[in-house]
Amino acid sequence: MAKIWSLALHGGAGPIFGRNYAQEEAHISGLLTEGASRLAAGEAALDVVEAMVTALEASGLYVAGRGASPNTAGVWELDAAIMDGRTRRAGAVGALVGFESPVQAARAVMERTPNVLLVGAGAAHLAASAGLARVEDPGSYYGAVAEDTVQEDAWQMRPNMGTVGAVALDQYGDLAAATSTGGVLSKTPGRIGDTPIIGAGTWADERCAVSCTGLGEYFIRANAAADVSARVRYGNQPFEAAVRGALDDVKRLGGNGGMIAVSASGDLAWGFNSSGLKRGLADSRGRFEVATFL
Ligand code: ASP
């Protein structure tokens, strides 16, 4: 059997028209090259998606990890999830405070506990016992919040500039997905979006792996990430149509955003009904694309 692999990354669904994203695109391109060579060398999809999201978080270029913005109380509460398609093991953290890499905390939930989702103080306790790097001084660690990313009205939520995510198929036929975010802009303390809700913002099974970005409340109500798999499984929809259908359902509810997805046969799909989607796609057949808008 041919040893195929595929990888997709995203850096969020809310880019601003007219702004130049060359720096983010160069970063995604470099990571894509690294992730592709790891998959080509036989690394597991689960490890590659964790490494990709860890690097996206650490860059400070997206609204996740180091680049995250605080909630209305001035606290950086971060969400992340990771899922292994073959076993459907999953780990997630919500409203995690004080750690550099929420996706590593999510992996720790998956590896070290019988649970899927830990939030708040419980998530922080687990991250500490796993020895994960702490954020000692949030004011200097996290980036400054650009004025045009702040909003006043909690009912008028906007997606942030850069939830991050990765999906991969490895040479063993296994799929994995990971997503990390600072959430929507100026979010209410304690608000948790779709990212750490398994099935809503992050999903992987034996058919596909999906990572979403956008207005999380709508992705939760649409169960958007798992809906891609359900459309393939029960509706016999072609993979790309399933991605489009899941996003159409988000839109029908009044939301917007985007997603990246990979199928068990290595097909890569993406879509957005927001302003754009910072994304990168690569596979063993030679595909290599990085873009932000259409
Ligand atoms: N989906 C994220 C959330 O609702 C935000 C985003 O992707 O921009 O928390």
Side-chain angles (χ1 to χ4, degrees):
M1 208 172 76
K3 291 189 168 180
I4 61 164
W5 54 263
S6 299
L7 175 66
L9 311 177
H10 76 77
I16 294 170
F17 285 121
R19 191 181 272 192
N20 185 321
Y21 290 97
Q23 197 186 358
E24 288 85 346
E25 289 182 2
H27 183 250
I28 287 173
S29 175
L31 267 184
L32 202 56
T33 302
E34 182 199 325
S37 65
R38 288 166 83 145
L39 287 166
E43 210 171 306
L46 186 65
D47 294 332
V48 172
V49 295
E50 182 187 352
M52 295 292 104
V53 171
T54 298
L56 289 160
E57 288 172 338
S59 70
L61 291 173
Y62 316 89
V63 190
R66 185 160 205 167
S69 55
N71 64 22
T72 52
V75 180
W76 281 264
E77 292 185 337
L78 309 186
D79 303 337
I82 189 163
M83 188 166 188
D84 177 35
R86 185 170 53 83
T87 61
R88 292 208 208 171
R89 292 165 72 225
V93 291
L96 175 70
V97 176
F99 290 85
E100 290 185 8
S101 176
V103 76
Q104 290 180 4
R107 180 80 188 260
V109 173
M110 178 175 135
E111 304 291 355
R112 292 169 169 252
T113 80
N115 311 122
V116 168
L117 173 60
L118 292 179
V119 303
H125 182 74
L126 191 259
S129 63
L132 300 185
R134 288 174 186 272
V135 173
E136 304 294 351
D137 177 8
S140 63
Y141 180 76
Y142 294 107
V145 185
E147 262 173 45
D148 62 2
T149 68
V150 177
Q151 62 185 15
E152 302 297 323
D153 183 354
W155 289 99
Q156 299 295 323
M157 290 181 302
R158 276 199 286 128
N160 64 38
M161 310 301 292
T163 289
V164 301
V167 296
L169 168 75
D170 64 26
Q171 292 189 24
Y172 318 103
D174 295 331
L175 293 151
T179 317
S180 181
T181 189
V184 288
L185 298 170
S186 303
K187 66 183 182 180
T188 303
R191 180 265 186 192
I192 289 173
D194 59 313
T195 298
I197 307 296
I198 297 300
T202 307
W203 180 257
D205 61 17
E206 58 278 34
R207 268 167 291 277
C208 60
V210 183
S211 173
C212 301
T213 169
L215 290 170
E217 280 70 7
Y218 297 93
F219 282 75
I220 293 172
R221 290 162 56 197
N223 201 38
D227 189 40
V228 175
S229 180
R231 283 168 184 273
V232 172
R233 183 178 187 181
Y234 305 117
N236 291 318
Q237 290 189 6
F239 187 51
E240 286 195 6
V243 166
R244 265 199 319 277
L247 281 169
D248 285 349
D249 203 33
V250 168
K251 191 170 182 186
R252 193 178 58 78
L253 298 176
N256 67 64
M259 61 172 69
I260 52 170
V262 58
S263 75
S265 51
D267 293 330
L268 291 161
W270 56 273
F272 61 83
N273 47 35
S274 53
S275 54
L277 177 68
K278 282 165 259 165
R279 61 196 181 272
L281 309 142
D283 67 21
S284 51
R285 300 160 183 137
R287 185 171 184 180
F288 193 99
E289 291 164 30
V290 177
T292 297
F293 299 104
L294 271 181

